[in-house]
Amino acid sequence: MKIAIVRQRYNPYGGAERFVERALAALSGEGAEVTLITRNWDGAPQAGFRQITCDPAYSRLLGGRAARDRSFAQAVQALTVGAGFDIVQAHERIPGCTVFRAGDGVHAAWLRHRARQLGPLARLGQRLSSYHRYVLGAERAMFAHPALRKVICNSHMVADEISAFYGVDREKLAVIYNGLDPAVFHPGLRAEFRETTRAAAGIPEAVPLLLYVGSGFERKGVPQLLRAFADLPEREAQLVIVGADRKLKAMQAAAQKLGLGERVLFTGPLKDVRPWYGAADGFVLPTLYDPCPNAALEALACGLPTLTSTGCGAQEWIRDGENGRVVDALAVDALSAGLAELCVLGQQPAARAAARAAVAELSLGAMAGRLLELYRSL
């Protein structure tokens, strides 16, 4: 079987990239001939598959992001026609692919969520944006293209959105969850890292500690998280924010202005978040829109009760009051109440066990098996 997997760029912290790496390993292990088509994939494992660098020129001044994505899509279309691939699986919006993995969700849905927090002028700018218009057009053309046979969704939320926005037949939508390595993410991290990680950061053992992990602070809710945390009745609780963002300094300044300077720690991006999974009592991700963040699943696997939003695919694994809470991302009062509840749940062994149990079946083997089953059916 000859399979091409298309992903434009490599981000060492990206969930989509981790999915690609795991898919490559699973397919290569089954004897498939796998080709990765990419503009830039430095730092990824190189064994077991062939890599084609597809880096067409584009005008950063005249076209920007839209020109970048359009040039890559057109180059991939030209490259794959007549190349003999049985399956072309795109992780970008490329009309003519056989399989599309909607790891980044549905752009039309994201824009609807984003518009909720924008003023009138900003909403107008969003509607007029050449980039957003290009992505929506590519998304629409891809879902309507006769070559598209399957769409891999990483949550039922995403499958529902594709059906609602583009009328794609539900038979084409395959929900395949992200896989987790139970030997890497597990409740034992608490005993391994809690004491040393807290001590290094000056966080007392008995203090409730909540953890946020994610890049893209505005989309993933850091501004409202800080406001909600400032309103938290539990004044001793502390918050650790892990992630990269251009507005990191602005968010640090916002925390200081809210009087949270001593209670919020910004670590920046980390390649290994496991010590903080072990040190924390609960995980919070009040994202405005996120198809299914690996960080939330990893936190649950480590036994952390989790607070997330109605715009997050991970809500599927949350049982309110049992292993976490689901709230509207922009409802600061509800978010603050959820944080207070999370501080309590994090101290309860039953809640930690329920968090772990919710994602117990999300193994790498299960993900690879579902992928291989889908490929064979095609």
Side-chain angles (χ1 to χ4, degrees), residues 47-85:
F49 63 93
R50 183 168 65 111
Q51 179 173 320
I52 296 178
T53 300
C54 183
D55 190 14
Y58 64 94
S59 173
R60 288 178 170 82
L61 292 176
L62 297 179
R65 291 186 297 167
R68 176 198 65 194
D69 291 0
R70 183 184 292 109
S71 68
F72 181 74
Q74 291 172 344
V76 169
Q77 288 169 325
L79 180 66
T80 53
V81 170
F85 293 115

Side-chain angles (χ1 to χ4, degrees), residues 306-373:
T306 294
L307 171 64
T308 192
S309 71
T310 52
C312 178
Q315 63 181 288
E316 221 173 294
W317 291 277
I318 305 301
R319 302 291 176 266
D320 282 347
E322 182 180 332
N323 64 354
R325 178 69 60 180
V326 178
V327 300
D328 186 315
L330 298 181
V332 174
D333 289 345
L335 179 54
S336 186
L339 294 175
E341 183 179 16
L342 204 60
C343 290
V344 175
L345 288 175
Q347 305 298 326
Q348 299 175 354
R352 295 198 299 270
R356 169 68 174 181
V359 296
E361 297 183 359
L362 301 187
S363 67
L364 293 175
M367 183 194 76
R370 291 291 311 279
L371 279 174
L372 292 169
E373 179 183 343

Side-chain angles (χ1 to χ4, degrees), residues 1-23:
M1 186 185 293
K2 295 183 179 181
I3 301 175
I5 295 183
V6 182
R7 180 67 172 176
Q8 184 168 190
R9 292 170 300 160
Y10 176 70
N11 171 8
Y13 307 104
E17 286 76 6
R18 277 183 279 176
F19 182 92
V20 170
E21 292 171 1
R22 291 163 181 171

